[in-house]
């Protein structure tokens, strides 16, 4: 299970031996959630989600053969087997996402900042492109190192300003990348109306334009197409710009923190950042024969069950007051000590580079 109980449960249901259970998508189902309101809460939540997704993908990839011992029909087994292969490939790309994003950043900027008349930053200065490339490449690598050190030793709640600064700087790096990508597209397309008259022939013979069109359709084009297919495209117009600005942080900060804290199985949000000390109503007791057993308190009478259900339903109707996260003195001191150590390590390494 390990932080992926819902996904593992779905996998076990579909691949249950000699059974043909299926999962159904219910579009009319509604859900409400208490979203993270701060950067530390967001990082902690995504740590749980990303690690849960990783463990679930590994579980499904390792035990893919269970589909062939289930009771699903042959056609469905073939389709699910294709899906498992797709998940295995996606798992490989997820594992190397840090390098993939850096390589995209490197090649897009390096190709658009070469010295010459086609430099993307000639409007600043003829030699500005090389300076932009060097500055942002060093900045990108330094940010990766800072996030790595913070992720290994600091809680997000104790280094919120460091993470927030890294998010903003990564966003600026992505803006530069998008500018270089847009400038590359501008150079690849005709700059007059006559050049666009035969667009089919243009796409067929312009290799640069082909690569750009395929890349855009395979990524952002699919976002828009799938949104319109579900008749819910509005978030693409209200949130797409913010998503693009935060995209490097999803890969470089959230993935880095998640991988550096694989051992953390806490819930991660709304102040739950420590190991659970209360395991609920189950207690270990000894029976009359002296044997150890578990004693669990459960409502058995129908009236008690109905009463609990009504109470739970009524409590959901009342919006809970916002909870302000607070740290006790010991936690604040521990965060301060970790943050001091991180600052010393960064200063020491930075002065020796």
């Amino acid at each position: 299970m390990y932080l992926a109980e819902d996904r593992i449960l779905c996998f076990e249901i579909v691949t249950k031996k000699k059974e043909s259970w299926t999962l159904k998508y219910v579009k009319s189902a509604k859900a409400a959630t208490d979203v993270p309101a701060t950067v530390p809460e967001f990082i902690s939540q995504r740590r749980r989600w990303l690690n849960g997704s990783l463990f679930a993908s590994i579980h499904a990839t390792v035990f893919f053969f269970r589909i062939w011992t289930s009771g699903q029909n042959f056609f469905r087994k073939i389709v699910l087997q294709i899906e498992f292969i797709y998940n295995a490939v996606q798992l490989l790309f997820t594992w190397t996402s840090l390098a993939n994003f850096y390589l995209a950043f490197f090649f897009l900027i390096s190709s658009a900042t070469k010295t010459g008349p086609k430099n993307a930053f000639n409007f600043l200065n003829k030699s500005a492109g090389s300076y932009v490339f060097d500055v942002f490449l060093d900045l990108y690598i330094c940010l990766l190192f800072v996030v790595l050190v913070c992720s290994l030793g600091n809680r997000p709640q104790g280094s919120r300003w460091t993470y927030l600064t890294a998010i903003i700087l990564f966003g600026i790096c992505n803006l530069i990348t998008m500018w270089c990508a847009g400038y590359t597209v501008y150079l690849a397309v005709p700059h007059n109306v006559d050049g666009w008259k035969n667009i089919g022939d243009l796409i067929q013979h312009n290799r640069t334009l082909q690569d750009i069109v395929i890349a855009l359709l395979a990524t952002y084009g699919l976002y828009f197409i799938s949104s319109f297919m579900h008749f819910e495209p509005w978030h693409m117009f209200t949130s797409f710009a913010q998503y693009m600005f935060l995209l490097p942080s999803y890969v470089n900060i959230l993935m880095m923190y998640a991988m550096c804290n694989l051992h953390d199985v806490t819930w991660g949000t709304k102040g739950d950042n420590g190991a659970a000390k209360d395991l609920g109503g189950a207690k270990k007791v000894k029976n009359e024969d002296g044997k150890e057993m578990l004693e669990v308190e459960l409502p058995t009478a129908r009236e008690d069950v109905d009463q609990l259900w009504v109470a739970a339903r009524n409590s959901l109707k009342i919006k809970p007051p916002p909870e302000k996260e607070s740290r006790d003195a010991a936690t604040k001191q521990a965060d301060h000590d970790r943050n001091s150590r991180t600052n010393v390590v960064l200063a020491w390494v930075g002065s020796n580079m």
Side-chain angles (χ1 to χ4, degrees), residues 48-225:
R48 185 183 80 247
W49 284 11
L50 290 172
N51 286 347
S53 177
L54 176 65
F55 300 138
S57 298
I58 294 175
H59 182 89
T61 302
V62 172
F63 297 104
F64 74 92
F65 57 86
R66 289 186 180 176
I67 188 61
W68 297 102
T69 61
S70 69
Q72 306 288 353
N73 61 63
F74 180 77
F75 177 76
R76 180 168 288 163
K77 287 179 179 179
I78 293 294
V79 173
L80 288 173
Q81 183 62 67
I82 295 174
E83 183 179 359
F84 290 149
I85 295 174
Y86 169 79
N87 287 336
V89 175
Q90 188 180 44
L91 178 62
L92 177 62
F93 279 96
T94 300
W95 184 264
T96 58
S97 58
L98 199 69
N100 294 336
F101 201 91
Y102 172 78
L103 290 175
F105 169 82
F106 178 87
F107 286 114
L108 278 173
I109 292 187
S110 62
S111 62
T113 54
K114 293 179 180 178
T115 303
K118 295 183 178 181
N119 192 299
F121 296 93
N122 274 344
F123 64 93
L124 296 176
N125 188 282
K126 289 185 177 181
S127 59
S130 59
Y131 290 109
V132 170
F133 175 73
D134 292 336
V135 168
F136 279 93
L137 183 65
D138 293 342
L139 175 63
Y140 195 100
I141 295 175
C142 289
L143 287 174
L144 285 178
F145 179 75
V146 170
V147 172
L148 175 62
V149 174
C150 289
S151 298
L152 284 173
N154 293 35
R155 295 191 323 133
Q157 289 76 8
S159 302
R160 64 180 65 198
W161 291 111
T162 303
Y163 282 112
L164 182 59
T165 302
I167 288 174
I168 295 173
L169 292 178
F170 270 130
I172 295 174
C173 289
N174 203 39
L175 291 178
I176 297 296
T177 306
M178 293 174 64
W179 166 256
C180 292
Y183 190 78
T184 303
V185 174
Y186 170 77
L187 294 178
V189 300
H191 299 158
N192 52 61
V193 178
D194 294 335
W196 288 96
K197 288 184 177 180
N198 194 351
I199 188 172
D201 184 70
L202 179 66
I203 296 177
Q204 184 178 359
H205 294 92
N206 192 323
R207 182 60 185 272
T208 303
L209 187 60
Q210 288 177 6
D211 295 339
I212 294 172
V213 170
I214 293 174
L216 291 177
L217 290 179
T219 51
Y220 309 122
L222 287 179
Y223 295 164
F224 281 95
I225 293 173

Side-chain angles (χ1 to χ4, degrees), residues 291-349:
K291 295 181 179 180
E292 292 185 347
M293 57 184 298
L294 284 178
E295 184 181 80
V296 182
E297 296 180 2
L298 293 173
T300 55
R302 180 68 183 179
E303 294 77 9
D304 295 337
V305 176
D306 292 341
Q307 187 176 5
L308 289 174
W309 164 247
V310 172
R313 187 177 60 182
N314 291 335
S315 65
L316 291 174
K317 295 179 180 179
I318 304 174
K319 185 178 181 179
E323 296 182 11
K324 186 177 181 180
E325 183 183 355
S326 60
R327 297 176 293 167
D328 54 36
T331 303
K332 287 183 179 180
Q333 184 62 43
D335 286 340
H336 175 75
D337 294 341
R338 294 190 185 102
N339 204 34
S340 299
R341 174 200 57 198
T342 297
N343 292 336
V344 171
V345 170
L346 292 175
W348 173 64
V349 174

